[in-house]
Amino acid sequence: MTTLRPMTGARAPGSGSEPAISLRGVVKRFGALTAVAGLDLEVPTGSCLGLLGPNGAGKSTTMRLLTAQAIPDAGTISVLGYEVPGQSKQARAEMGVVPQQDNLDEELTARENLEVFAQLYRIPRRSRRAAVDAALERAFLTERQSTRVDRLSGGMRRRLLIARGLVHDPRLVLLDEPTVGLDPQVRAQLWGLIDGLRSAGTTVLMSTHYIEEAERLADSCALMSHGRVIASGSPAELVAEHAGARVTEHYGPPARLAEVEELARTAGLPTRRTGPSVSVLKAETMPPSLTAELGPDGVSRAASLEDVFVVLTGERVE
Amino acid sequence: MIETAALGGIWRHEFALFKRYYLSQTFAALVEPTFMLLAFGYGFGSLVAVVGHYRYLDFVATGVVGVAALFTSVFPGMFNTYIRRSFQHTYDAILATPVDVPELVAGEVLWIAAKSGIYSCTPLVVAMGFGLRPSPGMLLVPFITFTTALGFGLFGMYTSAIVPSINSFDYVITGVVTPLFLIAGTFFPLASLPAWARTAAEFNPLFHCVELVRHAVFGLQPRTDLVHLSALLLFAALMWLIAVRTLRKRLID
Ligand SMILES: Nc1ncnc2c1ncn2[C@@H]1O[C@H](COP(=O)(O)OP(=O)(O)OP(=O)(O)O)[C@@H](O)[C@H]1O
Ligand SMILES: [Mg+2]
């Protein structure tokens, strides 16, 4: 079982091991702004959790709380069985972090960057070289290992950043939007890499704006908004619950779109704007009367996680 | 607790960077005191032959050691720390590994002080070319400059955490660093200054450094030198406390 459960204090019976990450009632304020507002989240060991949510939802702040680079104002956090921030150093030793913001050392070469982190992560001297070689290979940068980072392309830097967080074979990796700015081939390669990590038993917490990425990689997803989880479950469960099976898209002038929205809403069906069209979700539950009223101009398609995302987090950018 | 494994990682980073800039730093460390000694030793020295019981050139040479200890610690403390925290986010990356803020600060300042301690001896080497007589006490100088650089390196790191932008360092340089290096008995003896300035100098760590360096080179005065050494250690300890505190506030949300 890999679905997220709302936390009630008890673990699901039969799940033998402790969760790799558990947050309970975590609050983090920056002055008047509450970035994380009573967050409950649990990531089972060996699973991949996709953290979704609009800009400013608190995803990166959550990641920083897990490494004790942010200290919560309330709540408890445990990572790999260590209480954080109290025992965060042990936790950090066993996890890898790929930050949203590139913080490679631009003056050093790709190899030197990895060498420094191999030592910061305390890989024994005799295995450091092999670890660095493996990381370079992972990032497809073996040929470019002697290039200074400021001369690497954006995608190469991203790959190096990911490889740096994996250089010590961590038990847990935090990936904050790992595939931003990568071309489709490299993104697919990294998906393979992340999938491989999970198959090898590594726990992955990954934030992303690429819905497809979450659908492909995550065992379960948590949808964050305004600092808390507003929905969670496997991608399929989330889609079924919040968007149904099918969606019909209606195109037309603004007045027509407003009319479609009004009709659907009265019938209790969720809608979302999709650029020039309105999508009516849970279309399979539509009463025949509404189908008739909406007219035959609807284009039917399968419901997606993106529909869930937009419906639950609101359409407007705040 | 400060673990050596954490310090080792930070030094690995510093060493990788050092390989890039050691030539320019060595050049500066040798040429700068040469110019200073030429300008002050010959220029000024033609007006003042002796200061107290020192040859003016010997007086300046030992003063320049102190100036080097100040500059090669306070500036890296200020600028490197600011740039790595604020522009390059290097410290964010390091603090995601098993390194805590005190270890980061300790690793950085020990590196700065070790480098500064060694490079600050170059004026003595240059001065020997100008006739300074070698003495066994000179072997103590790197330890004196190391201790001095600890305090000033930490002071620089502390200011890097309180300035709102990198331009604000102008206030620190003009308002603090300049008076520190002028009123320390570096280029002219304090005896010629008014009483208030002499009292102020007692609170200048660089004054204690310069006195110690002179005594190490020309003859120790154990009783006073113990006071000078204590002043340097006290300064470093104080700076350690406030540097760790303010940097933690800046690095951990
Ligand atoms: N150090 C900080 N000081 C003040 N406010 C902060 C700080 N870090 C984050 N915030 C605020 O906290 C909120 C959550 O930010 P966070 O970076 O966690 O969002 P996010 O979900 O990662 O967004 P994105 O998808 O854009 O990366 C935002 O409103 C942000 O401005
Ligand atoms: Mg973010």
Side-chain angles (χ1 to χ4, degrees):
Chain A
M1 250 266 309
T2 50
T3 45
L4 266 175
R5 280 161 277 109
M7 307 224 322
T8 50
R11 269 209 301 274
S15 74
S17 66
E18 229 182 315
I21 296 176
S22 128
L23 296 103
R24 287 159 192 256
V26 173
V27 176
K28 178 63 196 174
R29 294 188 201 93
F30 294 110
L33 186 139
T34 304
V36 173
L39 182 69
D40 291 323
L41 187 67
E42 199 171 275
V43 185
T45 297
S47 74
C48 175
L49 180 96
L51 203 53
L52 302 174
N55 291 139
K59 303 181 296 295
S60 297
T61 304
T62 302
M63 302 262 188
R64 284 177 69 81
L65 286 164
L66 296 175
T67 55
Q69 290 179 278
I71 308 297
D73 295 301
T76 56
I77 303 174
S78 107
V79 176
L80 297 171
Y82 301 108
E83 177 251 323
V84 172
Q87 304 169 297
S88 68
K89 200 188 214 177
Q90 286 101 310
R92 274 180 272 136
E94 294 175 39
M95 71 172 138
V97 178
V98 179
Q100 180 172 10
Q101 193 173 30
D102 180 335
N103 55 24
L104 294 162
D105 198 309
E106 297 197 325
E107 287 170 74
L108 301 183
T109 65
R111 183 172 192 98
E112 286 169 330
N113 265 279
L114 294 170
E115 283 170 347
V116 169
F117 276 73
Q119 184 148 359
L120 283 167
Y121 278 118
R122 306 181 186 190
I123 298 176
R125 183 181 298 275
R126 61 186 180 286
S127 26
R128 242 177 256 159
R129 193 193 181 85
V132 169
D133 285 336
L136 284 165
E137 226 160 278
R138 220 170 220 180
F140 316 106
L141 286 173
T142 307
E143 245 99 89
R144 304 298 300 270
Q145 55 179 295
S146 309
T147 306
R148 274 173 53 152
V149 166
D150 57 3
R151 307 210 175 114
L152 291 176
S153 79
M156 292 176 190
R157 288 175 71 132
R158 200 78 211 162
R159 271 141 54 188
L160 182 60
L161 193 67
I162 295 172
R164 191 187 72 182
L166 300 174
V167 71
H168 57 307
D169 278 325
R171 286 205 283 148
L172 165 68
V173 277
L174 309 182
L175 305 168
D176 201 354
E177 303 191 26
T179 62
V180 169
L182 295 179
D183 67 39
Q185 290 93 320
V186 175
R187 178 172 304 149
Q189 275 166 340
L190 282 171
W191 286 349
L193 176 73
I194 295 169
D195 199 48
L197 286 176
R198 204 196 31 182
S199 318
T202 309
T203 310
V204 180
L205 175 63
M206 170 184 71
S207 83
T208 181
H209 287 120
Y210 294 106
I211 307 286
E212 187 192 353
E213 191 160 283
E215 274 175 331
R216 277 171 187 266
L217 294 175
D219 299 303
S220 65
C221 290
L223 191 50
M224 262 187 104
S225 175
H226 299 288
R228 54 168 73 85
V229 174
I230 53 168
S232 59
S234 72
E237 284 167 358
L238 282 171
V239 173
E241 183 178 344
H242 301 281
R246 312 265 340 144
V247 170
T248 48
E249 285 190 30
H250 296 266
Y251 289 80
R256 166 68 178 150
L257 298 185
E259 181 199 11
V260 173
E261 272 177 343
E262 184 58 36
L263 286 168
R265 219 165 282 159
T266 324
L269 293 183
T271 65
R272 66 169 279 217
R273 290 273 173 132
T274 328
S277 68
V278 165
S279 295
V280 180
L281 313 187
K282 299 187 174 171
E284 73 282 0
T285 65
M286 209 182 274
S289 58
L290 179 61
T291 316
E293 261 181 300
L294 283 176
D297 63 338
V299 182
S300 177
R301 62 168 175 85
S304 73
L305 198 55
E306 189 174 311
D307 295 317
V308 179
F309 183 93
V310 176
V311 163
L312 292 185
T313 61
E315 309 210 15
R316 264 173 294 278
V317 176
E318 283 160 47
Chain B
M1 204 191 60
I2 293 186
E3 292 181 89
T4 48
L7 300 182
I10 289 165
W11 290 335
R12 184 86 185 70
H13 177 236
E14 293 286 2
F15 190 71
L17 289 168
F18 185 64
K19 282 197 278 183
R20 299 262 183 286
Y21 67 77
Y22 76 96
L23 269 179
S24 61
Q25 173 148 23
T26 309
F27 169 80
L30 287 170
V31 173
E32 179 113 3
T34 310
F35 287 162
M36 292 265 211
L37 290 180
L38 282 172
F40 283 94
Y42 287 150
F44 238 17
S46 61
L47 303 174
V48 229
V50 287
V51 170
H53 49 278
Y54 303 120
R55 204 164 60 111
Y56 183 66
L57 198 131
D58 293 345
F59 180 86
V60 169
T62 41
V64 171
V65 168
V67 175
L70 170 67
F71 285 1
T72 57
S73 60
V74 80
F75 292 134
M78 285 158 62
F79 289 97
N80 291 357
T81 312
Y82 189 88
I83 290 168
R84 288 173 193 176
R85 174 175 66 79
S86 202
F87 296 157
Q88 300 178 334
H89 304 284
T90 314
Y91 291 158
D92 259 350
I94 292 177
L95 291 174
T97 72
V99 172
D100 289 331
V101 173
E103 290 167 327
L104 175 64
V105 175
E108 294 286 64
V109 80
L110 285 170
W111 175 269
I112 290 175
K115 220 163 38 110
S116 173
I118 294 165
Y119 274 118
S120 302
C121 298
T122 55
L124 290 183
V125 178
V126 173
M128 285 184 211
F130 289 82
L132 176 68
R133 227 169 307 140
S135 70
M138 285 180 177
L139 296 175
L140 292 175
V141 173
F143 298 98
I144 300 165
T145 47
F146 173 85
T147 314
T148 308
L150 277 182
F152 283 123
L154 287 164
F155 169 75
M157 294 177 80
Y158 158 68
T159 61
S160 82
I162 55 167
V163 291
S165 90
I166 198 160
N167 303 316
S168 317
F169 278 137
D170 287 343
Y171 294 116
V172 182
I173 296 171
T174 311
V176 183
V177 177
T178 306
L180 279 183
F181 101 87
L182 286 177
I183 308 178
T186 39
F187 299 107
F188 50 86
L190 288 175
S192 55
L193 292 178
W196 64 264
R198 268 177 286 151
T199 312
E202 298 281 335
F203 292 92
N204 180 357
L206 192 62
F207 163 73
H208 298 285
C209 166
V210 169
E211 287 295 290
L212 267 179
V213 170
R214 278 196 190 122
H215 296 167
V217 174
F218 301 110
L220 286 172
Q221 307 176 3
R223 192 131 359 120
T224 18
D225 288 340
L226 214 58
V227 176
H228 293 311
L229 181 63
S230 313
L232 289 178
L233 291 172
L234 184 71
F235 174 60
L238 216 67
M239 287 300 127
W240 164 258
L241 292 179
I242 63 170
V244 170
R245 239 179 61 149
T246 41
L247 274 165
R248 183 186 279 127
K249 242 183 256 167
R250 276 303 178 107
L251 288 164
I252 307 288
D253 294 329

